[in-house]
Amino acid sequence: CFPVTIRLRESAPSFVIGSSTATNFIVTNAGRVGAGVTAPSQLVHVSRTGGAAVRISSPSSGTPELHLDQGTEFTGFQIRRDSEGGIDSWSVKAVDNLPLTFGTNNVKRVTITGGGNVGVGTTSPFAKLSVHANNGETNTTIFAIASSTASATTTLLSVNNASIVTG
């Protein structure tokens, strides 16, 4: 059993679970919920030192999934386990007809359109696979197929940004 503290002062949080030295769970007067933090900065704020801060699971007969929605209808993004066609897999989906993008350094690098086209270096792929070198990019090879060993990589085919194919 653990101690429970409920504070009903105007300047204090509405509800706190913890001890005299640590706050484990808090609901602020502003309606923010925190686990592992004393001052949640978002509607739900979870923090933990070491290990996973959030775990989503389901019974063996269920499907673990995470949905990020806008509004009341499910039109957003989902990560879930699928058994489509008898094959178990994890899927990442934009449920509506919006593109799914992946980025680094706050720049979109890969885009999958609602129609299934994939773009590398472009957010508007015009073919099943569109690879674009950005204007002014110094890397002249935009596509390569290579074979690697522990000691070397051999380029079998490459296309540069001047449309020259070698290999």
Side-chain angles (χ1 to χ4, degrees):
C1 197
F2 53 89
V4 175
T5 304
I6 299 176
R7 299 180 194 136
L8 298 175
R9 293 177 291 170
E10 192 171 310
S11 63
S14 311
F15 181 74
V16 175
I17 297 176
S19 66
S20 61
T21 59
T23 298
N24 300 79
F25 181 83
I26 189 170
V27 179
T28 69
N29 287 328
R32 293 181 175 175
V33 176
V37 296
T38 57
S41 62
Q42 302 296 320
L43 186 60
V44 177
H45 185 164
V46 179
S47 179
R48 179 175 176 199
T49 302
V54 176
R55 179 179 179 186
I56 299 171
S57 61
S58 66
S60 60
S61 61
T63 300
E65 51 189 75
L66 171 67
H67 293 247
L68 303 173
D69 300 324
Q70 184 176 14
T72 57
E73 294 183 30
F74 181 63
T75 59
F77 175 80
Q78 90 181 185
I79 300 172
R80 64 174 293 167
R81 185 168 182 165
D82 279 329
S83 293
E84 198 169 300
I87 299 171
D88 279 340
S89 66
W90 283 97
S91 66
V92 176
K93 299 178 186 176
V95 176
D96 46 13
N97 195 26
L98 293 174
L100 183 61
T101 62
F102 300 90
T104 60
N105 201 22
N106 205 26
V107 175
K108 294 176 182 177
R109 306 290 185 184
V110 176
T111 299
I112 304 171
T113 67
N117 289 353
V118 176
V120 178
T122 178
T123 57
S124 305
F126 62 89
K128 286 295 178 190
L129 176 62
S130 297
V131 181
H132 292 232
N134 292 324
N135 192 15
E137 193 171 310
T138 59
N139 185 358
T140 59
T141 303
I142 61 170
F143 178 78
I145 298 174
S147 174
S148 296
T149 65
S151 61
T153 299
T154 303
T155 301
L156 305 173
L157 173 76
S158 69
V159 179
N160 69 20
N161 58 8
S163 301
I164 297 172
V165 178
T166 56

